[in-house]
């Protein structure tokens, strides 16, 4: 059995769960906006779920903690925006967003030699560097520098929503493949002990790199969808460390290394974030921050552990 | 043939490997013994690519493999176990063995999953297959480590001290297992250790390491009757008496 092959017999139960999961999500995202007519909420929730799932491919399967992860999201929005401004067309612009964050991912690859906090900090510095370049006045002719980019010519929230939903399904399928294929098994081995993994014939650098780059692409596509939806954005709108924090918190809260964890994590915590924001607009960030601290103390391994302990169910 | 020429490895001022020249032939069982700190584990580390030698060459299949990264040496069929067993702790027993099978040196023959099953039953690990490796005891961890290495169908398998802390009859079982593996799997086994009872049971040629290089090669009887080696192990006074 090859590296990418998914063993449908061994994982028949997981396959069924994933199909049900995708069906439930489709129903939720198609029906819920009628019950709670807040388009912006659902579009943002979709985008953040995709972002968390992308982040999970790196953090959940390789253990790297990229604090500057939002750079992929932002560069994706910019790739898309620049494409639209230059009249590349919708599809090409969208792909350009993914390509831009793939390129940024490649530039960041040497960081993977660092471990732990060093990697996290280097990545944060990379984020700042990318922000500096994009927002630089002297690059206004490409990026519009500090003046922001408008994609209002292609504004169409219904299509954006549909594309985001499609993207969600794709990233779930990719996560499923990573979770159940031998490639994913190799990633888990590397996470446990890179030395023994290499003694077992695994090209540790290559595997980490593949996970890193695929994660970057999806984060970029999520950023593109977001930029498309909000229609106009400044560098600081998308280069916001908040997107890193969201992806990190939502993933850890739900259960890193799973498919369902980041989805549940994002849905519950972001809904909560919105609810707090609506009721206490002034204190929303503070209240949310406090909530997160409490959650992390009470539930360090997230819902995954709760599911295992009380429901006797190993989260997919 | 796996051939070491002039291998040196220093840790600071300490010469852990001091001009080692050794040849390992296909399909044989040999033991390497030597006191603590003789450089046995360092030798395995250098051969498998965990550590880079300071100088010297390692030739295998007409290639200088010491320029290759560890994972390519593994794919050429050089594998090992660890003195302190290192299974992937968050992976189950069967997943640990599967990892070894991913880049099996021998693509022909059985499918990967059959091969994994075969190795699990050979090492009597079947009943533990779905247990995470971190929940195992040390002896079981050693077997998982061995299973991961063995399933890759290596041509050279370096086993670093598996006999420490074993009771008499366990030593007999282990030595039979090692001899069986060497015969049935078409692999050269280099067993490294200093539990002499186990080495005796292996009934194979022995190389003695001291201060970073091999100082003697011979049978068990030749090794144990050599005064210089007795002195090395037990000190001056014992050798004289
Ligand atoms: N990574 C390292 N850094 C520094 N010194 C080391 C390192 N690895 C080994 N040494 C030293 O090199 C010498 C040889 O060590 P090695 O582990 O190869 O001995 P050994 O023959 O395997 O001993 P034992 O029988 O106790 O396992 C020892 O003095 C050891 O302290
Ligand atoms: Mg040793």
């Amino acid at each position: 059995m090859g590296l990418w092959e998914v063993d449908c017999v061994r994982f028949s139960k997981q396959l069924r769960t994933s199909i049900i999961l995708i069906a439930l999500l489709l129903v939720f995202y198609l029906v819920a906006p009628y019950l709670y007519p807040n388009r912006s909420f659902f579009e943002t929730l979709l985008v953040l779920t995709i972002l968390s799932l992308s982040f999970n491919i790196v953090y959940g399967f390789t253990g790297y903690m990229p604090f500057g992860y939002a750079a992929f999201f932002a560069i994706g929005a910019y790739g898309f925006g620049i494409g639209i401004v230059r009249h590349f067309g919708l599809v090409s612009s969208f792909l350009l967003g993914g390509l831009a964050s793939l390129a940024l991912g490649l530039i960041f690859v040497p960081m993977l030699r660092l471990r732990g906090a060093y990697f996290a900090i280097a990545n944060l510095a990379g984020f700042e560097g990318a922000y500096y370049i994009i927002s630089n006045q002297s690059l206004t002719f490409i990026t519009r520098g500090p003046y922001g980019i408008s994609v209002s010519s292609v504004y169409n929230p219904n299509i954006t929503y549909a594309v985001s939903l499609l993207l969600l399904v794709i990233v779930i399928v990719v996560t499923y493949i990573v979770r159940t294929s031998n490639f994913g098994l190799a990633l888990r081995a590397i996470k446990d002990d890179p030395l023994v993994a290499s003694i077992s014939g695994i090209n540790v650098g290559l595997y980490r790199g593949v996970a890193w780059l695929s994660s970057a692409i999806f984060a970029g596509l999520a950023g593109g969808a977001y930029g498309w939806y909000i229609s106009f954005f400044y560098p600081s709108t998308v280069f916001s460390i908040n997107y890193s924090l969201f992806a990190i918190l939502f993933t850890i809260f739900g259960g890193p290394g799973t498919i369902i964890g980041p989805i549940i994590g994002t849905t519950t915590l972001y809904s909560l974030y919105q609810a707090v924001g609506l009721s206490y607009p002034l204190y929303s960030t503070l209240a949310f921050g406090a909530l997160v601290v409490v959650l992390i103390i009470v539930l360090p391994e997230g819902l995954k552990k709760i599911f295992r302990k009380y429901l006797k169910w190993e989260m997919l | 043939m796996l051939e070491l020429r002039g291998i040196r490895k220093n840790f600071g001022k300490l010469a852990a490997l001091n001009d080692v020249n050794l040849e390992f032939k296909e399909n044989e069982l040999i033991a390497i013994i030597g006191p603590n700190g003789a450089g046995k584990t360092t030798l395995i580390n250098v051969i498998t690519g965990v550590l880079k030698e300071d100088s010297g060459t390692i030739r295998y299949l007409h290639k200088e493999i010491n320029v290759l990264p560890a994972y390519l040496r593994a794919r050429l069929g050089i594998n090992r176990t660890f003195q302190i067993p290192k299974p992937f702790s968050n992976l189950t027993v069967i997943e640990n063995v599967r990892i070894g099978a991913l880049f099996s040196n021998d693509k022909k023959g059985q499918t990967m999953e059959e091969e994994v099953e075969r190795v699990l039953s050979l090492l009597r690990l079947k009943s533990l297959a779905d247990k995470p490796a971190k929940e195992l005891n040390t002896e079981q961890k050693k077997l998982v480590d061995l299973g991961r290495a063995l399933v890759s169908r290596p041509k050279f398998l370096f086993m670093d001290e598996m006999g420490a802390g074993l009771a008499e009859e366990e030593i007999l079982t282990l030595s039979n297992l090692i001899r069986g593996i060497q015969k049935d799997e078409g692999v050269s086994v280099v067993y490294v250790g200093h539990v002499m009872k186990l080495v005796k049971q292996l009934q194979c040629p022995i190389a003695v390491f001291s201060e970073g290089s091999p100082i003697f090669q011979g049978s068990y009887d030749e090794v144990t009757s050599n005064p210089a080696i007795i002195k090395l192990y037990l000190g001056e006074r014992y050798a004289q008496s």
Side-chain angles (χ1 to χ4, degrees):
Chain A
M1 143 160 193
L3 208 54
W4 294 102
E5 229 169 288
V6 173
D7 189 336
C8 295
V9 181
R10 200 191 321 147
F11 291 107
S12 61
K13 223 173 90 195
Q14 283 87 338
L15 184 63
R16 212 179 48 217
T17 313
S18 306
I19 292 171
I20 294 172
L21 174 74
I22 291 175
L24 283 177
L25 283 169
L26 287 177
V27 170
F28 172 77
Y29 277 107
L30 293 175
V31 173
Y34 290 100
L35 306 176
Y36 174 56
N38 184 341
R39 189 191 286 280
S40 151
F41 171 74
F42 287 106
E43 176 62 38
T44 313
L45 185 61
L46 253 179
V47 164
L48 290 179
T49 306
I50 298 164
L51 190 67
S52 298
L53 282 165
S54 319
F55 171 78
N56 180 48
I57 296 176
V58 165
Y59 178 70
F61 291 94
T62 72
Y64 282 92
M65 169 64 86
F67 271 138
Y69 196 70
F72 293 139
F73 183 78
I75 212 81
Y78 261 91
F80 175 76
I82 291 168
I84 293 297
V85 167
R86 307 231 152 206
H87 308 292
F88 287 179
L90 253 182
V91 177
S92 314
S93 301
F94 204 64
L95 294 180
L96 185 65
L99 212 62
S101 62
L102 173 65
L104 189 67
L106 275 171
I107 295 170
F108 286 175
V109 157
M111 290 177 188
L112 295 174
R113 289 180 191 186
L114 303 172
R115 299 294 299 158
Y118 299 100
F119 170 80
I121 291 166
N123 191 248
L124 197 57
F127 167 88
E128 290 296 341
Y131 181 28
Y132 179 79
I133 290 170
I134 292 289
S135 60
N136 205 296
Q137 189 110 32
S138 55
L139 288 176
T140 301
F141 67 104
I142 305 175
T143 64
R144 313 236 149 168
Y147 309 111
I149 227 163
S150 168
V151 292
S152 56
S153 60
V154 291
Y155 181 70
N156 189 334
N158 284 334
I159 297 184
T160 314
Y161 196 71
V163 169
S164 308
L165 207 46
L166 180 68
L167 199 55
L168 176 68
V169 174
I170 294 174
V171 77
I172 289 174
V173 170
V174 168
T175 310
Y176 177 81
I177 292 171
V178 173
R179 178 106 158 95
T180 56
S181 67
N182 284 331
F183 174 73
L185 181 64
L187 284 182
R188 284 169 53 215
I190 294 171
K191 191 180 169 191
D192 251 22
D193 194 329
L195 175 80
V196 183
S198 66
I199 291 298
S200 311
I202 296 171
N203 185 344
V204 171
L206 178 72
Y207 280 44
R208 277 178 178 157
V210 169
W212 174 247
L213 294 177
S214 34
S215 169
I217 291 175
F218 282 111
L221 294 175
Y226 188 67
W228 187 7
Y229 179 75
I230 59 175
S231 193
F232 175 81
F233 50 90
Y234 291 108
S236 60
T237 320
V238 285
F239 276 98
S240 160
I241 209 70
N242 266 347
Y243 294 112
S244 296
L245 295 180
F246 278 155
I248 293 169
L249 292 172
F250 297 166
T251 303
I252 291 182
F253 174 69
T258 67
I259 304 170
I260 298 177
I263 299 174
I264 299 189
T266 309
T267 312
T268 36
L269 286 192
Y270 185 67
S271 305
L272 216 61
Y273 179 74
Q274 281 298 306
V276 173
L278 289 180
S279 4
Y280 309 98
L282 273 178
Y283 302 108
S284 71
T285 311
L286 180 68
F288 187 68
L291 191 74
V292 163
V293 171
V294 171
L295 279 175
I296 301 261
I297 291 170
V298 181
L299 277 180
E301 272 185 82
L303 297 174
K304 182 165 74 168
K305 197 161 181 195
I306 300 275
F307 276 47
R308 186 185 296 144
K309 206 167 160 191
Y310 296 105
L311 303 178
K312 301 267 171 272
W313 183 61
E314 192 63 41
M315 189 186 273
L316 177 67
Chain B
M1 188 144 77
L2 181 64
E3 206 180 331
L4 279 65
R5 288 280 165 263
I7 294 289
R8 288 177 192 277
K9 177 72 192 175
N10 294 322
F11 294 113
K13 280 192 180 143
L14 176 88
L17 293 178
N18 191 4
D19 192 21
V20 176
N21 296 287
L22 271 177
E23 282 165 13
F24 301 101
K25 293 188 195 69
E26 250 100 46
N27 266 309
E28 65 171 13
L29 174 60
I30 79 155
I32 296 179
I33 64 167
N36 290 112
K40 306 180 296 293
T41 299
T42 306
L43 178 76
I44 299 182
N45 283 340
V46 165
I47 293 174
T48 53
V50 173
L51 289 174
K52 177 90 186 109
E53 69 287 343
D54 296 334
S55 61
T57 56
I58 307 170
R59 294 184 68 81
Y60 176 55
L61 301 172
H62 312 291
K63 276 193 277 258
E64 286 201 2
I65 62 160
N66 47 313
V67 299
L68 299 178
Y71 77 92
L72 286 181
R73 298 189 207 189
R75 290 185 195 181
L76 284 178
I78 298 171
N79 220 307
R80 68 176 293 178
T81 63
F82 292 87
Q83 191 164 7
I84 301 159
K86 288 176 188 260
F88 302 106
S89 49
N90 292 308
L91 269 56
T92 62
V93 169
I94 193 169
E95 285 173 334
N96 264 278
V97 178
R98 247 180 227 135
I99 286 289
L102 283 181
F103 294 99
S104 170
N105 179 48
D106 176 26
K107 296 277 182 210
K108 301 181 294 286
Q110 287 156 305
T111 67
M112 177 177 148
E113 213 51 24
E114 280 167 357
E115 191 64 10
V116 169
E117 291 292 325
R118 187 181 71 83
V119 167
L120 284 179
S121 19
L122 177 71
L123 301 178
R124 298 172 198 279
L125 286 170
K126 274 205 123 152
S127 59
L128 298 171
D130 293 319
K131 213 171 180 169
K134 62 182 164 201
E135 290 171 16
L136 304 177
N137 65 35
T138 310
E139 298 319 314
Q140 293 165 336
K141 282 182 183 168
K142 283 180 186 171
L143 288 176
V144 173
D145 207 8
L146 176 59
R148 174 198 52 73
L150 193 58
V151 78
S152 72
R153 291 191 161 270
K155 284 287 159 211
F156 287 91
L157 176 56
F158 293 83
M159 292 190 196
D160 200 352
E161 184 70 282
M162 296 184 74
L166 290 186
E168 196 101 6
E169 65 270 29
E170 290 171 322
I171 285 182
L172 195 64
T173 318
L174 179 61
S175 59
N176 285 336
L177 178 70
I178 294 170
R179 283 158 44 114
I181 285 171
Q182 192 278 315
K183 277 210 197 74
D184 303 339
E185 310 281 322
V187 54
S188 251
V189 173
V190 181
Y191 183 85
V192 166
H194 42 189
V195 177
M196 285 307 279
K197 276 185 203 136
L198 177 64
V199 173
K200 182 180 182 185
Q201 293 294 342
L202 290 178
Q203 300 165 21
C204 68
I206 298 170
V208 183
F209 250 70
S210 173
E211 294 178 358
S213 45
I215 54 161
F216 187 85
Q217 298 198 30
S219 69
Y220 179 82
D221 290 337
E222 285 163 356
V223 165
T224 48
S225 59
N226 185 310
I229 295 167
I230 297 171
K231 196 171 98 188
L232 182 70
Y233 264 84
L234 299 165
E236 197 77 40
R237 239 185 317 142
Y238 186 91
Q240 280 162 358
S241 66

